[in-house]
Each structure stands twice: as structure tokens, then as C-alpha cells.
Amino acid sequence: MKILVVGSGGREHTICWKVSQNEKVEKVYCAPGNGGTELLEKGENVNLKGVDEILAFAKENKIDLTIVGSEELLVDGIVEKFQAEGLKIFGPDKKAALLEGSKAFAKDFMKKYGVKTAAYEVFKEAEKAKEYIKTCEFPLVVKASGLAAGKGVLICQNLEEALKAVDEIMIDKVFSSAGEQIVVEEFLDGVEASILSVTDSKIILPFISAKDHKKIGEKETGLNTGGMGTIAPNPYVTKEVYDKFITEIMNPTLEGIKAEGMDFAGFIFFGLMITAKGVYLLEYNMRLGDPETQVVLPLLESDFINLLESGIDRKLSEIDVKWSNKSACCVVLASGGYPEKYNKDYEITGMDSVDNMLFVAGAKLEDGKLLTNGGRVINVVAIGDNLEEARAKAYSDAKKVNFEKKYFRKDIGVLYR
């Protein structure tokens, strides 16, 4: 088999690593990939841009399965174009991709099908949004409706912050076209959980839970990032929480997918908030989460390729997914200055001395050396019999990998509540 993975981050490196474990897989192409995917034994990076180039490559190289990590390409309709050419691809069609591509569409979908979520209003005009905000209680959440690389969510503590958030998103366009429409949402106080899943539009198979640490600073302080680390399973996802997720969020989502005629095989990421009032859905992503993938896939004992092919064949109901009963921890090594300005092209050393897994996020291979090439550079991942052991292993390795101005949080996996 020849596999094509579309994307360039730590998630894509993890996917390439996981699919490489299938004996039938002889080649894993990653477009455009990174220094880590290039170093995989079965891996090869291909510099492709846009749906048409990727499609032409898949046809020419007789790719057996394409897995899409990029949300933009899903919204652009890459799945329909592949299917029209008779090529196997795992991901949502254009309509289903809107569940991630438009927060306004997603919230309306949740409301229509009874998915438990926070109260909200949608606005296309800044002045009307501001008028509404003046009637609200605080804290309050202001979101860019479109794709903003996981950074378009602003939690506002008071009226001044909320009005400023509207200006930044809608007037200053800090998230570019993602801010043409905004969602103003009730603030939910609680702890977050991520549940990744696969669906064939007949059933949804949830994966084990994970917990992301979004903020740049310890104790969840400072600016939002793409994620500074993760653990799995999430200790806050008790049986009671999981059961509520199934009945109040997952099952109504599946009903909505069927009712809306969304017929696809792909991933659904459920971003949850666990509160004293119950379990709420914050958002959908229609692809695997990053860096949640980095702790979830290493705990998957079933064959990943077989799982995806069963989805494409609409036979997920026949699959028994097996998970390790261990714990995993991912610590993200980031460039100093991230998520704002940071420098690139620092040499990364010490990767040969680690005892556990490393997934490359923002690094490139140049003249045999791995150089920093992004804000989040390396994902250090370890598995242990329990969370404490997984954390200890991950942090031991995090100290061994070095590059100039390396930064990482020291409290990934620490439970503050």
C-alpha cells in the first residue's frame, strides 16, 4: 500500500508513524511534511500545494489511501475531488467540514439537533455585536467564526475586553477572513476534555479521552496556543461524564449528520467542557486534534489502517477497537517567543539520546541537520503504567532535546482541580 498524509505538523508525523506500522504499507508520502516525516523509514516528503496538485500526485502515484490533516483543504472540498476520481480518502465532505470551518454553522447545528452547548448569538456587524455584549454577563467568550488555526477564541473578563475583542476580530482582522462573522458565547467554567473519534456516518466510534493544555504559561495562564501538551486518558472523563457525552453530545451529533445528508468517512474531534452543570460541547474539529493525536494514537492497539478502511467501506459497526490501559503524556518543546514572534533555523540536538517517542512539529531537515522551523518544534511523548510515570518519562526526555531558546511548560498533566 501507498499512503498519502496531507499536512506538516506533529499530528501528521504521528499519523505517518502509526500507518507505517501496518505491514502492507510500503510507502508513506507526506505533503508537505516536515523533518520528522522525512526521517521515517517508509517516509518521503512531497512538496505539494493546493487540492489540484495533491490530487494529480495521488493519481499519478496510485495512492491507495489519503488522510487529510489540514482543515483548510477539507473546507475547500478535497474529499469530493478525490472521490470523483475514484480515489480513497478519509475525511469529511465540504458540507460536513463546515462543522469546523464555520463556528456559526456549527452552533446552529448543535442547537437544531439538541447537542448540549453554551448559549450564543452570531453577528456579522461589529456594532450590533457590541450592542448585544453590553447586555451580557461576564466573563464572556468572543470567537472568530472561521478557521483561525486554533487561536480565534478570546475569553473576555469585562466589557472593555469584549469590545476590544470585537474590534480586533471584525475591524482589525487579526484572524483575517475568519473574523467576518463572530460568535458571542456564554462562558463555561470547568475543565476541558478532547474526544477524538471516527465515523462512517452510520455510527461514531469514540477514541479514548485526552486533555490539552492550551495556554503558553503554567497553571493555564497567558496567551492561547495551538497546544503546549496533552495527556491521555483524561482523568476528568469519569464514567458519568463519558455517558453524558454519549447521550447528550455524540448521539445527537450523529442524528444531525444523518438528517443533514452528510455521507462521509472521517474524523470528528469533540472539544468538551466539563462543568458543575453538566458536559457541554465547545466545538467540533473535523480532523484529528493536535497535540491530542500524539497521545491517543500511541495507545491504540488496533490497526489504524484497518480502522480507516472500515470507515470508508461503511463497516465501522463490525470493528472492535482495542486500547492500551496505560497512560500517555506529550510535552511540547516550543520556540522562545511563541505564540508571538520567534526565530527559526536553530539546530536541534540530543534527539538520539531520548528513551521514548519524539514527533516533529516545526522542524526541517537541511544538510543532515534538523533545524527549528516553527513555533511548536518537538513533541516529546512517553507512555507509562499511570499518569505519573508517563509524565516523569516525558519530562526526562524533554530535558535531553535542545535548541536555542527552547521553552516548555513544566506542568503538563498536573491536575489543578
Side-chain angles (χ1 to χ4, degrees):
M1 287 184 75
K2 288 188 278 190
I3 308 296
L4 174 61
V5 177
V6 181
S8 62
R11 166 183 53 214
E12 286 74 28
H13 186 189
T14 311
I15 293 169
C16 290
W17 165 81
K18 192 66 178 177
V19 299
S20 296
Q21 295 171 359
N22 184 300
E23 291 178 359
K24 293 185 293 183
V25 173
E26 63 176 59
K27 194 78 175 173
V28 182
Y29 296 101
C30 196
N34 61 38
T37 55
E38 201 169 341
L39 288 168
L40 283 171
E41 187 181 343
K42 297 178 181 179
E44 182 180 327
N45 288 353
V46 282
N47 189 20
L48 305 172
K49 295 186 180 77
V51 174
D52 293 337
E53 275 190 30
I54 295 166
L55 178 60
F57 177 86
K59 284 172 67 179
E60 186 179 333
N61 291 274
K62 297 182 171 59
I63 298 296
D64 295 290
L65 174 63
T66 299
I67 304 164
V68 185
S70 161
E71 57 269 40
E72 290 94 346
L73 292 173
L74 293 170
V75 171
D76 286 347
I78 188 172
V79 169
E80 285 91 332
K81 290 192 176 181
F82 266 66
Q83 289 171 340
E85 297 290 343
L87 293 167
K88 281 188 178 181
I89 184 166
F90 199 79
D93 57 19
K94 209 169 181 177
K95 186 174 183 182
L98 269 181
L99 288 170
E100 176 173 6
S102 167
K103 289 184 175 67
F105 176 84
K107 292 292 287 190
D108 289 345
F109 175 94
M110 294 173 207
K111 187 176 182 180
K112 184 176 180 181
Y113 294 103
V115 177
K116 191 165 182 177
T117 191
Y120 72 100
E121 293 291 339
V122 176
F123 297 94
K124 291 183 179 178
E125 296 172 35
E127 287 310 312
K128 287 188 178 177
K130 289 179 179 180
E131 285 171 24
Y132 172 73
I133 283 169
K134 288 172 184 173
T135 70
C136 293
E137 294 180 3
F138 290 89
L140 190 70
V141 184
V142 180
K143 298 179 176 180
S145 179
L147 296 172
K151 300 186 185 81
V153 178
L154 303 175
I155 297 170
C156 307
Q157 300 298 330
N158 51 50
L159 179 60
E160 184 184 354
E161 286 183 13
L163 297 178
K164 184 184 174 189
V166 172
D167 283 340
E168 285 181 358
I169 297 172
M170 302 194 84
I171 308 298
D172 302 337
K173 300 284 189 193
V174 293
F175 304 114
S176 67
S177 61
E180 288 174 2
Q181 199 173 22
I182 63 167
V183 176
V184 180
E185 193 174 86
E186 167 195 14
F187 175 78
L188 297 173
D189 185 34
V191 291
E192 290 192 40
S194 306
I195 298 186
L196 314 181
S197 69
V198 290
T199 185
D200 58 4
S201 301
K202 292 181 177 180
I203 70 164
I204 297 174
L205 279 183
F207 291 178
I208 57 165
S209 61
K211 176 170 174 53
D212 187 13
H213 296 67
K214 273 282 185 198
K215 300 282 189 177
I216 190 66
E218 267 93 35
K219 296 188 178 179
E220 292 304 306
T221 56
L223 295 170
N224 259 343
T225 72
M228 291 303 296
T230 39
I231 54 172
N234 186 328
Y236 296 105
V237 180
T238 60
K239 185 181 185 306
E240 181 187 7
V241 166
Y242 186 79
D243 289 346
K244 284 181 177 176
F245 159 71
I246 297 293
T247 57
E248 298 177 0
I249 293 169
M250 192 187 87
N251 287 346
T253 296
L254 183 60
E255 287 171 27
I257 285 170
K258 290 176 178 177
E260 295 288 330
M262 298 175 183
D263 184 18
F264 71 98
F267 301 109
I268 305 180
F269 167 115
F270 295 92
L272 309 178
M273 183 67 81
I274 304 163
T275 78
K277 297 186 291 180
V279 183
Y280 292 78
L281 180 65
L282 294 175
E283 64 177 359
Y284 297 110
N285 288 169
M286 301 307 288
R287 26 106 209 177
L288 291 177
D290 186 338
E292 290 91 347
T293 301
Q294 288 87 309
V295 285
V296 170
L297 287 191
L299 296 175
L300 175 64
E301 294 182 343
S302 301
D303 184 86
F304 192 47
I305 290 286
N306 290 344
L307 179 62
L308 302 191
E309 288 191 315
S310 297
I312 290 170
D313 294 337
R314 305 300 194 267
K315 292 181 178 177
L316 279 182
S317 59
E318 300 173 18
I319 289 287
D320 180 25
V321 183
K322 291 186 171 63
W323 295 95
S324 165
N325 61 2
K326 295 179 181 289
S327 292
C329 176
C330 167
V331 177
V332 174
L333 308 185
S335 298
Y338 173 78
E340 296 184 300
K341 286 185 178 177
Y342 54 86
N343 294 323
K344 300 180 181 181
D345 296 319
Y346 296 127
E347 185 178 353
I348 302 164
T349 59
M351 290 183 67
D352 293 339
S353 64
V354 302
D355 299 312
N356 299 281
M357 292 171 278
L358 296 177
F359 296 119
V360 172
K364 61 186 176 182
L365 202 59
E366 216 169 77
D367 298 325
K369 294 178 179 179
L370 202 61
L371 306 178
T372 65
N373 193 40
R376 294 183 296 166
V377 179
I378 302 286
N379 304 143
V380 182
V381 179
I383 294 174
D385 288 332
N386 51 52
L387 176 58
E388 290 72 25
E389 185 183 332
R391 287 191 73 243
K393 287 180 174 181
Y395 275 107
S396 173
D397 279 348
K399 293 168 187 170
K400 296 174 185 174
V401 179
N402 288 300
F403 52 88
E404 199 167 326
K405 297 182 181 175
K406 175 183 82 171
Y407 168 78
F408 60 95
R409 276 181 58 172
K410 313 297 190 296
D411 63 344
I412 302 302
V414 173
L415 308 180
Y416 289 111
R417 295 197 188 201

